Amino acid sequence: MTKEHALLRQDALQEVVNIGGGHAATSLSKMIGRPVDMDVPFVELLSYEEVYQTVQSDDTIVRAVLSELHGKKYGVFLFVIDPEDAEKLAQMLLPETSEFTEDLTDSALKELSNILFQSFLQAVMQLISKPLIASLPVMTTDLFGSILTSVYMQQEQYSDELFIIRNNFHSEGHKIEGSLYFVPKPNTLELLLTQLGI
């Protein structure tokens, strides 16, 4: 891959992430009834080991929500957050009078993840004019390395490249901080970029 092609690919992915993050902020604002702002999103293609070294240690316990793309089986979305941050997220999304049980926290985390997944799908569909459908979110709690390895194996993915999106959202002093990963089927990123004209 030439340097010029790599920059074009990065710009295309950044455009998708910017649009998707904007959709997500709008949807979250409507959901909680107050303004939600978004940091400039971070998007990067990293190797498997770079993820563990720079983003999340493989032996960290995390809460994760998974959703698989149907149709041509493009891959899996994976939203990852620390367990302590998951409860803070629930406090941001749910009414102040709510009793924050584990089930309620899980429900809030699934709802947020679904908003993120659907927002990025909408952004991609706007650009490629093709329908994409994601499965209902499924939650798990485990070591980050175990979750990521399991998802890789399920996707028959042996490439050393992972699409990472980091979007932080803020609302009246509250902050949602987590990482959204896309684990593609083999050649999926190149297929999507081709459809984007890259």
Side-chain angles (χ1 to χ4, degrees):
M1 181 188 302
T2 66
K3 183 176 180 180
E4 182 180 3
H5 184 266
L7 288 173
L8 285 172
R9 184 171 80 161
Q10 184 73 15
D11 288 345
L13 294 174
Q14 186 70 54
E15 182 179 359
V16 172
V17 169
N18 289 343
I19 295 171
H23 290 329
T26 299
S27 297
L28 285 170
S29 180
K30 290 179 180 178
M31 177 183 174
I32 66 177
R34 56 179 183 267
V36 173
D37 297 316
M38 177 186 71
D39 289 344
V40 175
F42 165 88
V43 55
E44 191 63 84
L45 290 165
L46 296 179
S47 72
Y48 204 48
E49 289 305 316
E50 284 175 326
V51 172
Y52 293 145
Q53 293 170 5
T54 64
V55 180
Q56 186 84 56
S57 173
D58 62 340
D59 59 358
T60 304
I61 294 289
V62 296
R63 308 289 291 279
V65 184
L66 300 87
S67 180
E68 185 171 9
L69 271 65
H70 293 314
K72 291 188 177 181
K73 300 287 186 181
Y74 283 105
V76 167
F77 279 121
L78 179 67
F79 179 70
V80 176
I81 190 169
D82 291 333
E84 290 184 3
D85 289 334
E87 186 170 330
K88 294 176 184 177
L89 180 152
Q91 292 173 355
M92 174 179 171
L93 297 181
L94 298 170
E96 294 181 2
T97 55
S98 300
E99 182 179 349
F100 296 106
T101 64
E102 184 174 347
D103 287 344
L104 203 56
T105 299
D106 287 353
S107 178
L109 187 54
K110 285 183 181 179
E111 183 63 28
L112 169 71
S113 300
N114 192 50
I115 288 173
L116 293 175
F117 301 155
Q118 296 300 328
S119 294
F120 284 103
L121 280 185
Q122 184 181 349
V124 174
M125 288 189 290
Q126 278 183 235
L127 297 173
I128 69 174
S129 300
K130 291 189 177 181
L132 296 172
I133 301 173
S135 67
L136 292 175
V138 176
M139 173 165 286
T140 185
T141 302
D142 204 339
L143 294 173
F144 175 64
S146 298
I147 293 172
L148 197 58
T149 299
S150 175
V151 171
Y152 256 74
M153 291 176 64
Q154 290 172 3
Q155 298 307 300
E156 301 173 348
Q157 175 61 271
Y158 305 107
S159 168
D160 193 31
E161 195 171 58
L162 186 64
F163 182 30
I164 298 174
I165 304 165
R166 273 195 158 181
N167 268 108
N168 293 331
F169 298 94
H170 307 264
S171 180
E172 298 180 358
H174 295 282
K175 183 177 181 181
I176 295 176
E177 184 173 4
S179 295
L180 178 62
Y181 299 81
F182 179 61
V183 181
K185 285 282 190 181
N187 302 318
T188 290
L189 279 180
E190 292 306 323
L191 173 61
L192 287 174
L193 288 166
T194 297
Q195 293 174 340
L196 289 172
I198 303 301

